[in-house]
Amino acid sequence: MRARRFLGLCLVLAAAGAASAMAATPDGFAIDKGWRFRLVPGNAQAASHPEAAPWHTAAVPGTVHTDLFANRVIPDPYVGAPEAGLQWIGLADWEYRTRFDAPRGALSAARSDLVLDGLDTFAEVWLNGVKLLDADNAFRTWRLPVQGRLRARGNDLRIVLHSPIAKLLPQVEAMPHKLLGNYPSPYGDEPKDAMTANFARKPGYHYGWDWGPRYVTAGIWKPVVLQSWDAVRIDDLQLRQDHVDAARADIAAIASLDAVRDGAAELRLWQTTPGGRRSLAARQRVALHAGANRIDLPVHVDRPQRWYPNGYGAQPLYRYELEVRAEHGKGAGKAAIARAGARTGLRSIELRRDPDDRGRSFYFAVNGIPVFAKGANTIPFDMFQPRVSKARLRRVLQSAADANMNFLRSWGGGYYESEDFFDLADELGLLVWQDFMFGGGMPPAYDEAFRANVVAEARDNVRRLRNHPSLALWCGNNEEEIAWKYWGAGKEMKAAAPSLADKVWKGYVQLFGADLRKVVAEEGGGIAYWASSPGDDLAEVANTPASGDMHYWEVWGNPAYPPSKYLEITPRFMSEYGLQAWPVQATIDAFARRAEQGIAAPVIEAHQKFLAGKGNERLMKYVDYEFGATQDFAGFVYLSQAAQAEGIELAALHHRASRPFTMGSLYWQLNDVWPGASWSSVDWFGRWKALHFHARRFYAPVALAALRDAGGKTTVSLLNDRTRPLRGELRLRLMSLDGQVLRDERRPVELAPLSSTRAGDYLDADLLGGADPARTVAVFELRAEGEPASRGVVYFRAAKEMAWPDPGLQAQLRRDDAGYALELHAARFARAVWIDVDGADADAGLSDNALTLLPNESVSLRLSSKAGLEALRGALRLRSLADMPSFTKTR
């Protein structure tokens, strides 16, 4: 399916939702009908883009780019290479407008508020000709009183969105010494030495990143809702978990109420257990005062069903519903005058920083269990957030859970993740590290108004997300501390303008060391705060293996060491590391015709965002390290995935083998923002790369790590994330590539709970004897009771130096009662086997892929597809390393 058709489908679905009448929601009435938009008359962009000047239909929630595409004013932003020609959109001002009738009761209600959760970013809000707001933050909730301003019919709501570049550029250009930005624009829409992104409270990735395009969009990206009430509005229901253990959970249900007038009320809190039993958990009579009220309702749960991360137990969820009933006057003794609900899982969670002789630990304990964090970083799921459906989130997050992940880091250059994201994380047992929205570039935190704006944004989002049991950490920013300390920005400013440098750093410390820490302490319900990633919570030294969390980019980034360098870096918690790869062929076909595909082809380069168009050169370097160079594009795509999968597997297994010193491994990155080359393991369509199939194996709760370093020493470790001890068998076989077994040894092993156990060290000479290293492999296998077998293959030469035989791959596909069964057999050693049904079904699902098969080994796989048997058989393609023309083969 072409991306053009896919994007069009998303817009059709969005338009269908927007076509409904002003819809009632639990929180009020969504104003989602009749929206139109245009380029603001007189704007500098109007002369060169008159096609955007007339009124066009719009979707709210939505963005300017998706609205322009829906009206065929611009081409699909993802197909081909249109990016340079669309930069004018971010320089223009846009006007959105609708008319609506006031819902029944709104005119006579004591209070009515217009609630706007997502205005991106510099926005004027006008109602019936009166300006209500000048917004300046895409991440805040704006609540505007409108009682007395509403008409029965034909209310005119108008929102003008100003270009963040045009608005901020004059003040940035006027600065004699500029704050370092992140990615300069290659398109001339703003000067490279005067970047504006770090001055705007909007998603940083809109300005371009090394995995996505530059589309500085604007829009009303969350619903617009009218809320009306006569007596009480429940502003928030917090479920603060003060103590949770196996015997008892003590919860403070904290109700924040906005009362119209003084009066008596009764609060009833209902609890629904994970099994569906509903009971009254708390009841209290209160005297409300006009305005804000805070009432604590203590709740005690005996023998709670506790929530656990994926792999450690179940994810039971409790539902709480708050009712406010009037005690006197209108509504007394009748139905509730206000209701609100919240869901949570009962667990204890803490970030542990225990000192030792090498520094301090960094790990999370859930219900007292030290959890080794296995997972990845998430970036935004689309360039245009309103298009991110819960179904798309579910596909990717389910893929994370299916790959045995238990932890995701939501990166700070996008947006605070949605309730849908966190609801799914709660259900799947995925702990979430949530950055505040600072992804790169030093912010003007010395400005008090800027800091106050950020604090308000932080309160909104901490309050919104704090009931989720998956929320594990709030982090101030991504990489801003190390950028200042080690990447030259701080040093250069100290030399050029020492007083300004001191002011910038003090503002940074105030915002990330004090202001945001205070917000999390006051509002977060006990969740830990961390100042910056990577860091040591504002210690003098950051990004050190001894303490705190670490990002490691000397593999892939400069100086571009080979993946074996991963074995030399042993951190407390690795929160970023990564290798790039292209997505599967079907995804590439969605944005580039086959005739447009080539390693240096313009459309392919347009979807390769690393190093200003030189990403494929870097990627080829990593392909060449292990596999040798190729000029064939399909082969390049295949080898890029193999290099990514094997390199990240090496690092992740090293981290796991270093337990308990190392307690986390989060590779960069899980998902994609658009279809293109990136560090993801799941692409924009939700299709798995080879890395994700590998991740399911190297993140298995019980696994084997056989790690050979650059000096020819192999260390074997047995990994057990279970909370119980295990017994099993470790097997070592030395075999030739054509199947001759030269050595076969077995021994019983015991695995302690929550541990890594060193099982042996082997020099190449110990393993090989006199065997030819180019034709021989060592195969280690762990079989533990009740667990899938885990295998590690040790190669004694780079793949490009191996004498690969024709593996004699054979596949049989048949239909059965459950769908399709695929039987795969290798006569000889087959490395990096990739199975595809190119052309039959782009979204056909395989139960496993990216396989290594031993000589005479067979595997049984499941294939899910809507295509017919004969079509699938005709499209079935198998590939292994032996198929690459650069390798020497034995036949």
Side-chain angles (χ1 to χ4, degrees):
M1 183 187 293
R2 295 285 289 188
R4 185 183 308 278
R5 292 174 56 202
F6 184 83
L7 177 52
L9 176 61
C10 289
L11 291 168
V12 167
L13 294 175
S20 64
M22 190 167 71
T25 73
D27 297 316
F29 290 85
I31 302 173
D32 57 5
K33 182 182 178 183
W35 284 95
R36 299 175 298 152
F37 82 110
R38 66 177 178 178
L39 199 158
V40 170
N43 185 261
Q45 300 300 314
S48 54
H49 297 282
E51 68 276 14
W55 287 103
H56 297 282
T57 59
V60 172
T63 70
V64 171
H65 283 77
T66 48
D67 285 336
L68 288 169
F69 176 60
N71 286 277
R72 301 184 179 181
V73 178
I74 63 170
D76 190 321
Y78 289 3
V79 175
E83 185 178 348
L86 299 180
Q87 295 309 305
W88 63 273
I89 301 170
L91 295 173
D93 296 339
W94 300 93
E95 180 179 6
Y96 279 72
R97 199 164 196 165
T98 191
R99 285 184 175 270
F100 67 94
D101 297 338
R104 182 177 300 174
L107 294 178
S108 61
R111 294 278 299 277
S112 287
D113 285 353
L114 189 64
V115 184
L116 303 105
D117 283 323
L119 295 177
D120 185 7
T121 293
F122 295 102
E124 301 173 24
V125 179
W126 298 73
L127 179 65
N128 296 328
V130 177
K131 183 191 278 191
L132 303 182
L133 174 69
D134 280 305
D136 59 356
N137 191 321
F139 309 121
R140 286 182 63 176
T141 294
W142 306 97
R143 178 174 289 276
L144 311 176
V146 294
Q147 63 267 17
R149 301 186 184 277
L150 294 172
R151 304 168 181 163
R153 297 189 178 278
N155 290 280
D156 180 30
L157 180 58
R158 176 172 167 260
I159 298 177
V160 180
L161 299 155
H162 295 283
S163 162
I165 298 173
K167 185 172 182 64
L168 293 171
L169 191 56
Q171 74 181 62
V172 175
E173 287 188 306
M175 296 175 67
H177 301 281
K178 310 293 192 294
L179 293 181
L180 179 70
N182 204 55
Y183 289 104
S185 173
Y187 303 115
D189 51 317
E190 69 178 9
K192 294 186 178 182
D193 64 346
M195 290 178 274
T196 61
N198 41 327
F199 293 84
R201 295 310 300 148
K202 81 179 258 93
Y205 79 106
H206 288 173
Y207 296 83
W209 223 267
D210 56 6
W211 35 252
R214 181 182 176 93
Y215 288 134
V216 186
T217 196
I220 307 166
W221 67 285
K222 288 188 177 182
V224 178
V225 175
L226 181 67
Q227 293 183 349
S228 300
W229 68 100
D230 279 316
V232 176
R233 179 180 62 85
I234 302 175
D235 183 58
D236 183 61
L237 174 61
Q238 180 186 3
L239 303 172
R240 192 185 69 209
Q241 301 183 33
D242 294 331
H243 176 81
V244 179
D245 61 22
R248 182 182 174 96
D250 295 326
I251 303 167
I254 303 170
S256 297
L257 308 179
D258 184 359
V260 172
R261 62 188 67 84
D262 293 350
E266 181 187 60
L267 273 59
R268 297 182 183 181
L269 184 72
W270 297 90
Q271 174 187 274
T272 303
T273 67
R277 182 175 177 271
R278 190 171 188 264
S279 61
L280 187 63
R283 182 175 182 176
Q284 186 173 326
R285 288 182 171 85
V286 295
L288 299 179
H289 304 285
N293 296 262
R294 173 189 162 114
I295 298 101
D296 289 15
L297 300 169
V299 177
H300 306 289
V301 181
D302 291 328
R303 296 182 299 280
Q305 300 178 53
R306 289 186 290 174
W307 184 96
Y308 287 88
N310 185 33
Y312 290 84
Q315 292 79 45
L317 297 169
Y318 287 76
R319 177 79 184 174
Y320 291 90
E321 298 169 84
L322 177 67
E323 296 178 346
V324 181
R325 295 172 178 264
E327 285 280 279
H328 306 291
K330 184 178 179 181
K334 298 182 181 179
I337 56 175
R339 298 176 185 269
R343 190 179 73 166
T344 196
L346 304 181
R347 86 288 181 261
S348 65
I349 185 167
E350 57 183 319
L351 172 62
R352 292 186 177 172
R353 306 289 327 284
D354 304 322
D356 58 29
D357 58 353
R358 287 187 281 181
R360 295 184 71 184
S361 67
F362 186 104
Y363 69 94
F364 296 85
V366 179
N367 298 325
I369 301 170
V371 173
F372 189 101
K374 300 180 297 189
N377 292 259
T378 64
I379 62 172
F381 289 77
D382 198 278
M383 280 305 300
F384 312 111
Q385 194 278 340
R387 298 199 314 152
V388 180
S389 66
K390 190 170 185 178
R392 192 194 299 192
L393 289 171
R394 184 182 297 278
R395 179 170 181 173
V396 178
L397 268 60
Q398 184 65 60
S399 293
D402 290 346
N404 295 303
M405 294 184 184
N406 57 36
F407 210 110
L408 301 175
R409 174 175 173 250
S410 179
W411 167 81
Y415 44 77
Y416 300 95
E417 271 301 346
S418 64
E419 285 84 351
D420 285 344
F421 176 97
F422 275 92
D423 283 345
L424 290 166
D426 294 344
E427 294 162 13
L428 295 169
L430 298 170
L431 293 168
V432 180
W433 166 323
Q434 178 65 63
D435 282 358
F436 286 99
M437 288 303 108
F438 295 89
M442 182 62 76
Y446 51 79
D447 183 285
E448 290 186 11
F450 181 90
R451 288 203 313 273
N453 196 4
V454 172
V455 166
E457 155 198 326
R459 288 194 190 277
D460 284 349
N461 287 283
V462 173
R463 288 172 175 171
R464 178 173 65 88
L465 298 175
R466 60 190 172 188
N467 288 333
H468 291 279
S470 55
L471 183 60
L473 183 73
W474 284 100
C475 180
N477 67 71
N478 172 77
E479 294 187 344
E480 291 185 359
E481 182 178 344
I482 61 166
W484 180 264
K485 288 181 174 178
Y486 306 133
W487 295 356
K491 182 178 180 180
E492 292 170 7
M493 185 171 281
K494 287 175 186 177
S499 61
L500 177 60
D502 182 65
K503 181 180 176 182
V504 168
W505 181 246
K506 286 180 178 177
Y508 174 95
V509 172
Q510 178 64 39
L511 178 59
F512 297 109
D515 293 349
L516 292 178
R517 193 184 305 276
K518 181 180 179 182
V519 171
V520 174
E522 292 176 348
E523 308 284 0
I527 297 299
Y529 173 78
W530 192 243
S532 181
S533 179
D536 195 15
D537 212 26
L538 284 173
E540 182 177 354
V541 178
N543 206 29
T544 169
S547 186
D549 75 307
M550 190 173 183
H551 295 187
Y552 184 69
W553 285 106
E554 291 182 4
V555 174
W556 181 267
N558 293 324
Y561 290 127
S564 59
K565 188 72 173 180
Y566 282 133
L567 299 179
E568 300 178 25
I569 308 299
T570 306
R572 295 293 189 164
F573 191 107
M574 188 67 88
S575 47
E576 275 193 29
Y577 63 102
L579 290 169
Q580 209 195 63
W582 279 92
V584 298
Q585 186 65 53
T587 295
I588 298 171
D589 290 343
F591 63 81
R593 296 187 299 271
R594 290 289 173 101
E596 297 174 315
Q597 297 177 20
I599 295 174
V603 173
I604 294 302
E605 290 283 4
H607 287 254
Q608 166 58 273
K609 291 299 179 181
F610 181 71
L611 292 180
K614 299 298 182 183
N616 279 350
E617 292 182 12
R618 179 59 57 88
L619 186 48
M620 184 63 80
K621 181 183 183 74
Y622 277 85
V623 168
D624 188 47
Y625 271 136
E626 181 66 24
F627 302 112
T630 180
Q631 296 303 311
D632 172 63
F633 182 68
F636 174 57
V637 169
Y638 161 74
L639 290 177
S640 76
Q641 289 206 26
Q644 179 193 42
E646 293 188 6
I648 298 303
E649 178 171 315
L650 181 74
L653 288 175
H654 168 61
H655 300 151
R656 293 191 66 190
S658 302
R659 181 179 186 153
F661 185 86
T662 302
M663 286 297 290
S665 183
L666 309 180
Y667 64 75
W668 186 272
Q669 64 211 53
L670 176 65
N671 63 299
D672 270 337
V673 76
W674 79 325
S678 83
W679 294 259
S680 73
S681 60
V682 178
D683 74 23
W684 182 73
F685 285 96
R687 298 166 185 152
W688 290 20
K689 295 181 184 177
L691 170 56
H692 210 77
F693 289 100
H694 278 243
R696 185 167 57 189
R697 297 189 281 268
F698 64 67
Y699 279 154
V702 178
L704 176 144
L707 306 176
R708 180 179 179 271
D709 64 23
K713 177 184 175 182
T714 296
T715 299
V716 177
S717 300
L718 311 180
L719 315 173
N720 181 18
D721 285 347
R722 302 299 190 193
T723 56
R724 63 185 185 278
L726 295 171
R727 293 181 178 179
E729 180 184 77
L730 177 63
R731 185 182 187 185
L732 162 62
R733 281 178 286 175
L734 189 74
M735 63 175 62
S736 66
L737 297 179
D738 62 5
Q740 183 181 3
V741 178
L742 308 175
R743 179 178 177 182
D744 192 345
E745 300 173 359
R746 304 170 188 252
R747 63 183 171 95
V749 291
E750 295 187 1
L751 286 69
L754 303 170
S755 72
S756 169
T757 302
R758 182 73 65 89
D761 296 314
Y762 304 84
L763 298 177
D764 284 357
D766 298 335
L767 288 171
L768 281 168
D772 182 353
R775 300 171 183 269
T776 310
V777 296
V779 181
F780 292 89
E781 287 183 324
L782 171 65
R783 294 184 180 274
E785 52 194 20
E787 302 289 342
S790 179
R791 175 186 291 169
V793 180
V794 175
Y795 304 99
F796 301 99
R797 293 290 184 269
K800 60 188 177 183
E801 300 168 358
M802 300 281 285
W804 298 107
D806 181 345
L809 287 171
Q810 295 181 349
Q812 291 186 341
L813 183 65
R814 59 183 173 81
R815 189 189 293 275
D816 60 20
D817 293 340
Y820 292 109
L822 178 63
E823 303 293 332
L824 191 63
H825 178 80
R828 287 161 291 279
F829 196 93
R831 181 173 172 183
V833 176
W834 184 257
I835 308 160
D836 199 1
V837 286
D838 184 23
D841 183 355
D843 288 308
L846 275 162
S847 60
D848 207 354
N849 211 336
L851 299 160
T852 292
L853 273 66
L854 304 184
N856 295 311
E857 184 174 23
S858 298
V859 294
S860 298
L861 307 176
R862 303 298 311 174
L863 173 65
S864 59
S865 175
K866 296 178 181 178
L869 178 61
E870 293 309 313
L872 290 170
R873 282 176 172 167
L876 187 65
R877 301 287 183 270
L878 305 178
R879 166 171 278 183
S880 76
L881 284 190
D883 296 309
M884 297 305 299
S886 58
F887 294 131
T888 301
K889 304 177 182 66
T890 60
R891 299 292 182 183

